[in-house]
Each structure stands twice: as structure tokens, then as C-alpha cells.
Amino acid sequence: MSRDQKFFDVYSIVIGALAAFALAILVLALKMADLTQGVYTRDAAEYQAAVNERIAPVGQVYLSGEHHEAEAPKAETAATPDPVATLLSGPQVYNEACIACHGAGIGGAPVLGDAAAWEPRIAKGEETLGLHAIEGFTGVGYMPPKGGRMDLSDEEILDAVSYMIEESS
Ligand code: HEC
């Protein structure tokens, strides 16, 4: 056997081995791709959706004026309970309707807690004070009927008067 012939034999074997190796790697790569990503067996749309999910931004920025109905939080549609006629307590009425004048003594209003200012008024009797609070009263200053809150019931005003007397005697 000539040396050339021997060279070609070895050369062919090496080339063949390399080709086989390359082919094996190709097959392995395809197999791995299929296993990990399912490119060939899975539905293309499903695969794309999975990719989109993986590369989706973590947050989104909405500019004012933009409307995103789908993303907008659903308004809670809790059943609204039937309105119940509730009476406000004395302190509640005071804080809502009387504190504006009686908190700081606006227009000569006797200040809540000022025993000296309330003493001569309390001397008139709670009944009279209640009546003056409901119907209004003009002395040095002007106390409007129900403090201007005509939506409040007489009972609520009387409770507020009791509370004011209690706090000021
Ligand atoms: C717009 C201001 C104003 C509001 C609001 C107001 N008051 Fe008066 N109130 C006065 C003034 C001023 C007087 C003093 C009148 C006077 O004797 O010159 C007064 C006096 C009173 C007196 C004493 C009356 C008397 O016979 O001496 C009572 C009681 C009273 N207010 C209760 C209330 C109650 C209860 C509320 C809340 C529901 C209320 N006021 C809200 C201004 C107000």
C-alpha cells in the first residue's frame, strides 16, 4: 500500500467521524430544542404566547387621559343597604352644626366648656334653652333656629343642647 493510499484512508475515516459527530450534535440540538421549548411539536401560537409572557414588561405606565377599561379595577357593586333613619347623637350634632359658632364664640355665642358664659343661660332651664335652640334666639347676638340646620329633628337639637350644658357646667 502506497503512503498516499494510507493517507487517504486515515483522512476519510477522520472526515467521516467528524461528519458523524456534527450530525449527532445537530440531532441532539434539535432534540434539546424540542424538549425545552417545544418549537416543533407545540402549537406555534401557544409558543409565541409563552414567549410574550416571558418578555412582557413588569409594569405599565398609563398617561392621564388614557382609558384602559379592561385594566380598570372593577367598581364594587356591593348592595347598598336601605337608608335607615338614624338620629345623630348630641355630640355628633354639636360637631356638625353647632361647633362653627359655639366652638370659637362667633357672634357672641357661648363657647362650649366656658362655664361662666353658660351659667346665666343654664339658669334659664334646659327646657328654655332647648326651645331657643330650636326656634332661634336673639339676645346680644343671634342664634339661628336649629343653628341653621333645619334638616335636624327637634330631638337631635335637644340632645345637642343637653350635651352642651353637660360640657359647660
Ligand atoms: C351661626 C352661629 C350659630 C350656630 C351655628 C349655632 N349657634 Fe347657638 N348661639 C349662637 C349665638 C350668637 C348665641 C347667643 C345668642 C345671644 O344670647 O345673644 C347662641 C346661643 C345658643 C344657646 C343659648 C340660648 C339662650 O337662651 O341663652 C343655645 C342653647 C344654643 N345656642 C344652642 C345651639 C345648638 C344646639 C346649635 C347647633 C344645632 C347651635 N346653637 C348653633 C350662634 C350659633
Side-chain angles (χ1 to χ4, degrees):
M1 194 186 285
S2 74
R3 287 178 76 177
D4 281 352
Q5 184 60 50
K6 196 172 178 191
F7 169 77
F8 277 119
D9 284 351
V10 173
Y11 187 76
S12 324
I13 290 170
V14 169
I15 291 292
L18 285 177
F21 184 61
L23 198 72
I25 288 202
L26 179 71
V27 170
L28 195 70
L30 291 176
K31 183 69 189 160
M32 284 305 283
D34 193 32
L35 275 180
T36 56
Q37 294 161 30
V39 188
Y40 304 101
T41 48
R42 246 195 274 163
D43 185 28
E46 187 189 319
Y47 173 68
Q48 189 60 50
V51 169
N52 286 345
E53 195 183 316
R54 279 201 297 277
I55 64 173
V58 216
Q60 286 171 315
V61 174
Y62 292 159
L63 299 175
S64 66
E66 279 185 41
H67 287 291
H68 295 268
E69 306 273 335
E71 285 91 350
K74 292 271 180 296
E76 292 279 318
T77 47
T80 40
D82 295 331
V84 182
T86 48
L87 281 183
L88 296 177
S89 69
Q92 282 174 330
V93 172
Y94 171 77
N95 286 313
E96 264 192 32
C98 320
I99 199 170
C101 296
H102 288 273
I106 305 295
V111 175
L112 185 84
D114 183 346
W118 277 95
E119 206 201 293
R121 299 183 188 273
I122 293 170
K124 298 184 211 174
E126 184 169 342
E127 211 173 306
T128 308
L129 294 187
L131 202 71
H132 287 173
I134 291 168
E135 296 179 345
F137 177 73
T138 309
V140 187
Y142 170 61
M143 159 74 204
K146 294 191 175 180
R149 284 288 303 269
M150 300 312 286
D151 57 307
L152 294 173
S153 67
D154 290 359
E155 204 181 332
E156 285 169 316
I157 298 296
L158 293 178
D159 283 349
V161 170
S162 297
Y163 167 72
M164 287 164 83
I165 290 172
E166 222 170 85
E167 292 290 306
S168 311
S169 40

